[in-house]
């Protein structure tokens, strides 16, 4: 627990970004600022960092955590898809995306991401906008719901789960993560595909991806961020599920013919020690891209 906020693949991400003093860095998913602080330290005394996060509550805490870096840091409450516009033509030496939810979001029951702690079914990273997971499970057409669970959760029991949700919501509105988890567990069947994996895991992942539009325009965003790099600048992306990682891999490959180099053929995975002490790191995959020197 003590290490719940340990940044994932920290040394590997710093190496991939080749952080240096004087550089300009963008952290598109600044979270609690673990990676950001390490970038600022590695680039001391004068590297600068612009950090984005769409979670206003997290950013308040990060503002305090990074206060000692003074004017070297700027934090922006926005989706990283807006980063290129926010940079206003400045070229970045490195851009980092550490995708998905943070451990604080997961561990705060009232944010509604976790099926392990009961809370309101919310799941929005940005609580100032958009529909909640409760809106989705109570209002979405049963077939569309099954599609979301199949597509973003890759769960073959999707139709059965959607049917159980539709039947439960006819009795009363499904309001909490605990209620939803119980419904999914009841519907998913007795033999899990992966022993030890809670049958609710895939449905919760699917709803989270849908609610936060996590895969929408991801490829376009990666291209736009790559386009903001200075010559020799690097883009490093940490993905936590295969759908996201596939998108990163394909986009990077396509950029090779446009003046970029893929930094590692295989994604970088956490070593045994990190995986053992930080369960969240186990599914992480880091990929990197470098803009070639100008000709
Ligand atoms: C895995 S955490 C990042 C942790 C961070 N690297 C650290 O060391 O503390 C992901 C963060 O990205 C944010 N996030 C996810 N998708 C985002 C997006 N499209 N735009 C901006 N922030 C996003 C989440 O709100 C969350 O705080």
């Amino acid at each position: 627990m003590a290490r719940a906020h340990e940044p994932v693949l920290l040394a590997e991400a710093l190496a991939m970004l080749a952080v240096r003093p004087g550089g300009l860095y963008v952290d598109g998913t600044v979270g609690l600022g673990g990676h950001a602080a390490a970038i600022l330290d590695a680039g001391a005394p004068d590297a600068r960092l612009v950090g984005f996060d769409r979670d206003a509550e997290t950013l308040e805490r990060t503002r305090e955590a990074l206060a000692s870096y003074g004017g070297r840091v700027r934090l922006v409450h926005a989706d990283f898809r807006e980063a290129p516009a926010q940079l206003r033509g400045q070229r970045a030496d490195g851009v980092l995306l550490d995708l998905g939810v943070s451990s604080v979001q997961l561990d705060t029951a009232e944010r509604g991401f976790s099926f392990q702690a009961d809370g309101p079914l919310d799941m929005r990273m940005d609580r100032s906008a958009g529909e909640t997971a409760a809106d989705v499970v109570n209002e979405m057409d049963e077939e569309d719901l099954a599609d979301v669970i199949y597509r973003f959760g890759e769960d073959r029991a999707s139709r059965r789960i959607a049917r159980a949700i539709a039947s439960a919501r006819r009795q009363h509105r499904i309001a909490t993560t605990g209620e939803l988890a119980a419904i999914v567990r009841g519907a998913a069947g007795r033999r899990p595909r992966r022993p030890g994996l809670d049958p609710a895991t895939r449905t919760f992942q699917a709803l989270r991806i849908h609610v936060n539009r996590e895969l929408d325009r991801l490829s376009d965003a990666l291209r736009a961020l790559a386009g903001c790099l200075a010559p020799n600048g690097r883009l490093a992306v940490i993905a936590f599920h295969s759908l996201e990682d596939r998108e990163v891999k394909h986009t990077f490959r396509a950029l090779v013919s446009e003046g970029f180099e893929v930094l590692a053929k295989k994604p970088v995975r956490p070593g045994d020690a990190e995986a053992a002490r930080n369960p969240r790191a186990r599914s992480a995959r880091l990929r990197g891209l470098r803009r070639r020197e100008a000709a």
Side-chain angles (χ1 to χ4, degrees), residues 121-246:
L121 205 43
D122 189 329
M123 298 198 192
R124 287 170 305 166
M125 291 186 203
D126 182 350
R127 283 209 276 190
S128 67
E131 57 179 3
T132 65
D135 295 334
V136 176
V137 296
N138 287 290
E139 285 151 35
M140 188 180 258
D141 177 78
E142 182 184 323
E143 251 183 60
D144 293 342
L145 191 55
D147 286 347
V148 165
I149 296 169
Y150 185 72
R151 218 173 123 211
F152 298 146
E154 299 182 291
D155 196 328
R156 281 180 286 175
S158 58
R159 305 231 160 267
R160 235 179 315 138
I161 295 169
R163 202 175 317 127
I165 291 173
S167 146
R169 73 191 183 192
R170 278 195 284 275
Q171 315 298 315
H172 63 90
R173 189 174 166 86
I174 304 165
T176 69
T177 55
E179 281 175 71
L180 179 65
I183 296 165
V184 176
R185 288 181 192 127
R190 291 210 186 81
R191 267 178 294 151
R193 245 199 305 167
R194 254 182 35 212
L197 188 77
D198 189 304
T201 309
R202 294 174 189 280
T203 298
F204 271 65
Q205 171 184 302
L207 287 170
R208 199 199 85 200
I209 293 174
H210 175 77
V211 164
N212 294 291
R213 310 274 183 256
E214 289 178 37
L215 294 167
D216 278 16
R217 298 183 294 119
L218 179 59
S219 177
D220 292 347
L222 294 172
R223 282 179 157 275
L225 289 167
C228 294
L229 293 173
N232 203 26
R234 283 132 185 264
L235 170 60
V237 183
I238 303 173
F240 288 87
H241 53 79
S242 52
L243 298 166
E244 213 165 51
D245 183 55
R246 213 173 295 154

Side-chain angles (χ1 to χ4, degrees), residues 9 16 29 80-81 95-100 214-226 234-256 260-268 283-290:
L9 290 168
M16 196 158 266
T29 53
F80 59 71
R81 291 168 178 81
V95 176
L96 174 67
L97 297 181
D98 175 18
L99 296 167
E214 289 178 37
L215 294 167
D216 278 16
R217 298 183 294 119
L218 179 59
S219 177
D220 292 347
L222 294 172
R223 282 179 157 275
L225 289 167
R234 283 132 185 264
L235 170 60
V237 183
I238 303 173
F240 288 87
H241 53 79
S242 52
L243 298 166
E244 213 165 51
D245 183 55
R246 213 173 295 154
E247 197 93 350
V248 178
K249 179 169 86 178
H250 290 152
T251 309
F252 279 13
R253 276 202 194 143
L255 283 167
V256 167
F260 294 88
E261 175 201 353
V262 174
L263 288 173
K265 274 225 175 69
K266 292 228 158 112
V268 179
S283 53
R285 297 174 186 87
L286 166 70
R287 292 184 188 271
L289 188 76
R290 182 181 76 90

Side-chain angles (χ1 to χ4, degrees), residues 7 27-35 52-55 58 78-81 98-102 105 125 240 280:
D27 186 340
T29 53
V30 73
L32 284 183
H35 286 100
F52 294 84
D53 205 293
R54 54 184 180 184
D55 183 338
T58 296
D79 195 296
F80 59 71
R81 291 168 178 81
D98 175 18
L99 296 167
V101 277
S102 69
Q105 289 166 334
M125 291 186 203
F240 288 87
R280 210 183 90 76

